[in-house]
Amino acid sequence: DTAVSQTPKYLVTQMGNDKSIKCEQNLGHDTMYWYKQDSKKFLKIMFSYNNKELIINETVPNRFSPKSPDKAHLNLHINSLELGDSAVYFCASSHSENIQYFGAGTRLSVL
Amino acid sequence: AQSVTQLGSHVSVSEGALVLLRCNYSSSVPPYLFWYVQYPNQGLQLLLKYTSAATLVKGINGFEAEFKKSETSFHLTKPSAHMSDAAEYFCAVSDQSGGFKTIFGAGTRLFVKA
């Protein structure tokens, strides 16, 4: 049983397209996150939801829109994709003490 | 505000040698501190955590770290490196007062030579 699962694992698309990444956790955690990891492995938080409420919204272009239909799911929709959006996107969840449980990542390539 | 600095983007050791990965943090509130490991094409996994109990923390795979408040450090060590330890290691900090944000360091790539 995968604790935090994201789909798809790979996403190759053209500039200007719209795409979504889905994330589900079966750990019963209240808090979920989206991170972006660039080609130099730098990991930056984008969004966080706690009990379906947006609590962290970093300086991210408004082309990125998270949605949390329930505590176990956090999806990321990206409009008008740009070359600079190419990265690995990680979903994570946490409970007490902010220990993060990561998904395997979605590698997005924008051509 | 919190921040993390990992000294050395790359560290290379021989198999069987001591592993030392350095991390310094800055936090205006009591911190939680973490080390995570990332193997190629995988997500990050927790190695160990400091949450204000013992200052010497033992983690998985023989790793340990010591919280030193006076030096604002949380260095990661392992007495004897294995080839399987080759990976990217991230130090991270969050605060104990209920904030949800975790700040990650830039990562240190560990190479293990045979």
Side-chain angles (χ1 to χ4, degrees):
Chain A
D1 259 2
T2 304
V4 181
S5 59
Q6 352 178 173
T7 54
K9 192 167 173 63
Y10 300 97
L11 194 48
V12 181
T13 189
Q14 301 287 330
M15 267 175 36
N17 284 350
D18 303 338
K19 289 294 177 186
S20 292
I21 308 172
K22 296 188 175 185
C23 179
E24 176 182 3
Q25 55 98 359
N26 62 7
L27 297 167
H29 293 165
D30 289 339
T31 310
M32 296 185 71
Y33 308 80
W34 279 111
Y35 289 90
K36 179 180 180 180
Q37 187 174 47
D38 63 23
S39 58
K40 295 184 178 177
K41 300 293 187 183
F42 186 70
L43 196 66
K44 188 175 188 311
I45 190 167
M46 301 172 70
F47 303 103
S48 177
Y49 274 74
N50 179 254
N51 284 320
K52 300 193 298 174
E53 182 181 341
L54 182 66
I55 53 168
I56 296 175
N57 186 353
E58 292 293 287
T59 309
V60 175
N62 57 16
R63 298 180 294 103
F64 289 79
S65 53
K67 280 194 172 51
S68 182
D70 56 56
K71 288 197 316 183
H73 295 84
L74 180 60
N75 304 322
L76 183 66
H77 187 75
I78 316 169
N79 289 325
S80 303
L81 278 156
E82 299 178 358
L83 293 176
D85 298 332
S86 295
V88 181
Y89 292 85
F90 286 101
C91 178
S93 69
S94 73
H95 59 122
S96 60
E97 301 172 339
N98 281 355
I99 298 169
Q100 309 275 302
Y101 293 78
F102 284 83
T106 296
R107 185 174 295 275
L108 172 64
S109 298
V110 183
L111 307 177
Chain B
Q2 296 178 307
S3 65
V4 173
T5 302
Q6 291 184 238
L7 299 173
S9 58
H10 297 86
V11 169
S12 182
V13 300
S14 297
E15 195 172 20
L18 171 73
V19 175
L20 171 60
L21 305 182
R22 299 177 189 273
C23 172
N24 287 90
Y25 71 93
S26 171
S27 179
S28 55
V29 296
Y32 291 139
L33 292 161
F34 311 87
W35 277 99
Y36 289 84
V37 61
Q38 184 180 28
Y39 298 104
N41 299 316
Q42 294 185 26
L44 283 71
Q45 304 169 36
L46 181 71
L47 265 182
L48 49 79
K49 65 183 189 293
Y50 166 77
T51 57
S52 79
T55 56
L56 182 61
V57 180
K58 293 189 185 301
I60 62 172
N61 301 339
F63 284 94
E64 63 181 37
E66 187 171 9
F67 171 67
K68 291 188 177 180
K69 186 176 179 181
S70 60
E71 299 177 9
T72 60
S73 68
F74 190 58
H75 302 332
L76 182 71
T77 59
K78 181 174 180 178
S80 176
H82 294 162
M83 297 296 288
S84 60
D85 294 327
E88 191 89 24
Y89 291 81
F90 293 90
C91 183
V93 63
S94 69
D95 76 65
Q96 295 189 24
S97 61
F100 292 95
K101 187 185 288 190
T102 299
I103 305 297
F104 287 83
T108 298
R109 182 70 185 269
L110 176 65
F111 295 92
V112 182
K113 299 174 292 187

